[in-house]
């Protein structure tokens, strides 16, 4: 158990819908990272937050948004869902602003039908 | 931007040694990570190199050459449970960017 909690574990929804994925980082960790992993694809970096502030952005679509709250949990919002958004979404946390080991949650498997 | 390359697949025999190479081209490089990922599971941390040289952790070792943009992960005394995907990741500009992963299959 990495200490990073993601909910829900599985999510099935229809095209055009909107979902929210939630991540609670390890106790004391200030950084949260979001990744998308599709079938046969590597981990694609989406976005990073550090202590509530957006720190870095990767290949995140405009239909997707995220935030980190004062209690340091983070949410990833995916809207106008398309079939191609079906993937495993991982959250990771680390105790510093990068350059340290990141611990991954078990992921949320999103299926868009 | 960043470009991280590693072989797609490798196969080895139980008890043997396997070396997984990774080359990277990134701006603002700050360190190189290796993660292990079993299918459908979360990646788990194996090693981190920021300075040139070899880091050893039990059966796993990782090497970094910053001037060559090169790293390798060495897995010794392979066990069946080591069958997994091994991900090379470069940290730069606050982003931890992953390669596509190397699937290692350990055969009896």
């Amino acid at each position: 158990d990495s200490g990073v909690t993601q909910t829900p574990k599985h999510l099935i929804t229809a095209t055009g819908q909107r979902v929210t994925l939630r991540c609670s980082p390890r106790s004391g960790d200030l950084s949260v990272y979001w990744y998308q992993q599709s079938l046969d694809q590597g981990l694609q970096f989406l976005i990073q937050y550090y202590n509530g502030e957006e720190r870095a952005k990767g290949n995140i679509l405009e239909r997707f948004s995220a935030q980190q709250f004062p209690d340091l949990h983070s949410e990833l919002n995916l809207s106008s869902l398309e079939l191609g958004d079906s993937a495993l979404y991982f959250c990771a946390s680390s105790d510093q602003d990068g350059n340290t080991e990141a611990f991954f949650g078990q992921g949320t498997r999103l299926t868009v039908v | 931007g960043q470009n991280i390359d590693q072989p797609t697949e490798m196969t080895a025999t139980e008890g043997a040694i396997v070396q997984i190479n990774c080359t990277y081209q990134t701006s603002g490089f700050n360190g190189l990570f290796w993660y292990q990922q079993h299918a459908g599971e979360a990646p788990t941390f194996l090693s981190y190199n920021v300075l040139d040289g070899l880091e050893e952790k039990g059966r796993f070792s990782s090497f970094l050459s910053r001037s060559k943009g090169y790293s390798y992960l060495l897995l010794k005394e392979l066990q069946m449970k080591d069958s997994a995907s091994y991900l090379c990741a470069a940290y730069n500009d606050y982003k931890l960017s992953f390669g596509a992963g190397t699937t290692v299959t350990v055969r009896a």
Side-chain angles (χ1 to χ4, degrees), chain A residues 4 23 29-30 54 70 74 82 98 100:
Chain A
V4 178
C23 170
D29 282 359
L30 299 178
E54 181 184 304
S74 178
E82 302 174 359
T100 59

Side-chain angles (χ1 to χ4, degrees), chain A residues 45-48 54-60 64, chain B residues 93 95:
Chain A
F45 171 73
L46 296 178
I47 198 163
Q48 185 214 352
E54 181 184 304
R55 183 64 87 179
K57 243 180 178 177
N59 301 320
I60 187 166
F64 295 1
Chain B
D93 297 333
K95 301 175 197 173

Side-chain angles (χ1 to χ4, degrees), chain B residues 3-79:
Chain B
N3 190 25
I4 301 170
D5 289 314
Q6 52 183 127
T8 307
E9 293 179 334
M10 299 183 78
T11 301
T13 307
E14 200 173 11
I17 298 173
V18 71
Q19 178 175 315
I20 306 169
N21 297 322
C22 171
T23 58
Y24 63 89
Q25 289 177 306
T26 66
S27 56
F29 176 79
N30 292 118
L32 196 292
F33 292 81
W34 284 95
Y35 280 80
Q36 180 192 60
Q37 186 180 25
H38 286 97
E41 297 183 10
T44 55
F45 171 81
L46 290 178
S47 69
Y48 169 58
N49 295 70
V50 63
L51 300 175
D52 285 359
L54 188 68
E55 294 280 342
E56 297 190 76
K57 256 190 178 185
R59 295 189 298 114
F60 295 170
S61 304
S62 57
F63 171 83
L64 176 67
S65 169
R66 293 177 69 124
S67 61
K68 295 180 180 176
Y70 167 71
S71 173
Y72 68 72
L73 179 70
L74 197 67
L75 286 64
K76 302 177 222 175
E77 300 167 19
L78 280 171
Q79 301 175 9

Side-chain angles (χ1 to χ4, degrees), chain A residues 60-110:
Chain A
I60 187 166
L61 299 172
E62 284 192 14
R63 300 183 285 110
F64 295 1
S65 65
Q67 55 184 325
Q68 186 179 30
F69 295 87
D71 67 353
L72 300 177
H73 91 271
S74 178
E75 292 181 355
L76 179 67
N77 300 297
L78 316 176
S79 61
S80 303
L81 284 168
E82 302 174 359
L83 295 177
D85 297 328
S86 295
L88 257 175
Y89 290 85
F90 285 107
C91 166
S93 74
S94 67
D95 61 354
Q96 295 178 30
D97 198 2
N99 252 16
T100 59
E101 177 181 350
F103 293 84
F104 281 77
Q106 290 302 304
T108 293
R109 183 172 292 283
L110 173 66

